[in-house]
Amino acid sequence: MSLKRISQFFNPSSVAVIGASNTPTRAGNVVMRNLLQGGFKGPIMPVTPNHTAVHGVLAYPSIEALPKVPDLAVICTNKNTLMKIIEQLGTLGCQSAIIIADGLTGTQKQELKDNAAKHKVTLLGSNCLGLLIPHIGLNASFSHTVATPGKLAFVSQSAAVCSTILDWAKNKEIGFSYFVSMGDCLDIEFDEILDFLGRDAKTKAILLYIDNINDIRSFISAARAAAFSKPVIAIKTGRTSAGALAAEIHTGGKQSSDAVYDAMFQRAGMLRVNDLRELFAATQTLAMHPKLLQVEQLTILTNGGGPGVMAVDELIQSSGKLAQLSDETREALNKVIPHSDTTSNPVDIFGDSAPVRYKHALEILLNAKEVKNLLIIHTPSALAPSENYAQVIVEALNKLPKMARPYVITNFMGEDAAFAARRICANNAIPTYRTPEGAVGAFMHLVSYRRNQKHLTQTPESNTDDATINKVAAKAAIKEFLNDEQHYLSTHQASQILSSYGIDCIQTEVAYTPTEAKEQAIELGFPVALKLMSPSIPSKSEVGGVVLNLNDAQEVEQTAFAMLLRIKNTYPDAIIDGFSLQKMAPRAGANELRIAIKTEPNFGPVILLGEAGTGLEYAQAAVALPPLNMNLAKYLIAAAHDKGVLKDRILPEKVDKYRLCALLTRISQLVVDQPDITSLELNPILASNGQFLVLDATMNLNQYQVQAHRKRLSIRPYPIELVETVTLKNKTLATLRPIKPEDEQAHQEFDRSLSKEDRYKRFFGELPQFNHDQLAKMTQIDYDREMAFIVTQTQDEQQHTLGVSRVIMDPDNLQAEFAIVVRSDCQGLGLGRILMNAAISHCRRQGVKTVEGITLPENTGMIELARKLGFKISRDFEEGSINMLLTL
């Protein structure tokens, strides 16, 4: 990724149009017209051998004839000329180009990408509409309309969707900071643009239309960083298998299950919408009002009972919540609503309400402490035009300070009668919708966004099961199986690996013939379960390959013979490894679960959770991306309940969710530690008395091959390899390690322990102590793009942080900024050197070129340490600070 090249791309001072034309139907003609009409202040240089001028602007016969090197080239020629044009632009020194042409084959795309890299030309496209940057008047596209300046950034792989959004935005008077058509993503990809837009002060929200993502890990990193500071809303096509195939044909790239994309968007703190209608609705609510909801409960004010009920139905069916009105509020409303002493939510003020009654009821609700979110529904009234009621809303809101207002959305029903009212609301930045369902759906986007943002800021509980994991033993067992060319493992084999992660499997014996099965059953004791072992048949119960409650030896032998005969007739080519036998576990009153690991294109391994059954497809499971901590495991369980794939059964004992979280984190750790496991299925898992017992397990192994340009996991796990024991100058031992999300409480204690002088030296001023959200950002870091090392010691069975060093790499991974702080009572123990060396070593491993830091002149200890470690020290007299620079 490269933030520098994107910054150059999005700030051109001159543009060349390659293939400019005077023919109205040519892209080169439309692009020239748009550039000239957009108000761009820099030179616009048409290049064509066919015309002396295009749209009245002097044309140049070739790229070599251009009077200056353009900052941006828009290539409007056919695909057969692209290779030569890129070479010519690179030779001239132009580093940014947009490719409009479509129809490139996979081979042509790769050749073009390689050629552009060779000549150091950054490409947007191919098969794209172009680029619009309204605040500098740039319309380097063949769009049919213009984009006005605004606070939204829109990025899309579909040129057709770009045109639709532009048309809609013009009608709604919504402006854009950047409008980017990406097309086939030959070169520039979503992660680079997200990094740029996430840092751009002009952009308050980011809208994405996605067909496919080439580098999932980079996308998640960039999206998570952007979502920390502003809303990121996405449409991802390919929700069905046919749609996924169409998306693959449209822009290329492998497609994964849609449920996995859902898990990715949630993990990144983004909001996913399903279609353009939802995108428009989400834009009016979330994007135009990016402040998070304080609470999720909704209050409804309506002058029609039916629409109010419709809104409630939609809210409850969408897992929303109604607010409970206080007695004080209800009493005040009863006084202004005729013939009512039982006012509740929704608040119905009846169809004969004049604007004055509307005003009184609205003011009561706006000032009620329990009303944080308010939906106002209005049906056309004969008493006054709808715009009168809209004006009442505007005036009531304007009386309140912005920070004290509830979040308000409106629904003016009807068309002709409601048009003027909706216009008044839009002009006053009040979201407005045509139907109650649409308004509630838009509100639920805010709720979903709030929930997803919690993924970024919630402190997970520590999992104390880590000590029970023996990954070395598991790795040795896997290596032995692979050396014996055993790639498919049944329960008795998989249990050797699972037991190293504290995952218990029922005792399983193996028999290779029906007669051996009879003998094994006698040793186990009855009743027993008999299961066929075959890598050729993934779901054995569907073909009679699993029989339970066999009560004597003869029955076992006969059942085994019958299985073989049945399989021979139905699957004559199936590989049969024998039979497994297990003593029947007491299942009465137990919950039966199923957990699986699957490997998805682009994403790598994913974790699925559902109920025991014959098949665990994505439709029957909740999905999560590893690595999981206790909080993320809790979200996975909640998602399974919401999806209806995990039900609360009427049983003597419910599933112990805390211990299920611990089990899921151990399975996640198994995924992280053992790359040779390509799939795993635990089905069923008996959950009883807080214990989990696996009755059947299948595991597939394959030697993992490291890929140069693709990481195995979608999210970088905790870098446990960087944990080490260090000796301080007072001869005590301490632990040096990367920070974890679970360190938030200890980090808060550390922050409180800093003296005023420490804080002043670190933050160049007197800052208040950090709140939860700030601490979450410091502890829940993306190890791919930043690192925080801490030194800890255990006292009174609690871990205490003694010092912290932090490095943040730029998206180009060329420069890093560092900061370091040590507790006052721990200074003089050598912590500064330990933490700085850890930070510098990490930057070297990451390929960073320079490490920079700033401190105050009075921080002599830090300055002297930096000098000893090889930093170049310089003084910035204007800022009154000391700059430290280390070249690696």
Side-chain angles (χ1 to χ4, degrees), residues 123-150:
L123 302 179
L124 180 66
S126 57
N127 188 23
C128 74
L129 186 77
L131 172 67
L132 296 88
I133 309 177
H135 64 271
I136 63 171
L138 180 77
N139 185 353
S141 76
F142 67 97
S143 64
H144 71 292
T145 187
V146 299
T148 57

Side-chain angles (χ1 to χ4, degrees), residues 630-646:
M630 292 291 280
N631 248 9
L632 293 169
K634 199 180 298 181
Y635 280 123
L636 176 59
I637 295 167
H641 280 289
D642 289 344
K643 195 173 179 179
V645 296
L646 200 63

Side-chain angles (χ1 to χ4, degrees), residues 218-233:
S218 295
F219 178 88
I220 292 176
S221 282
R224 188 175 184 272
F228 256 126
S229 59
K230 60 194 67 174
V232 183
I233 309 169

Side-chain angles (χ1 to χ4, degrees), residues 602-616:
N602 295 339
F603 284 90
V606 298
I607 298 173
L608 291 80
L609 171 66
E611 291 190 329
T614 56
L616 187 59

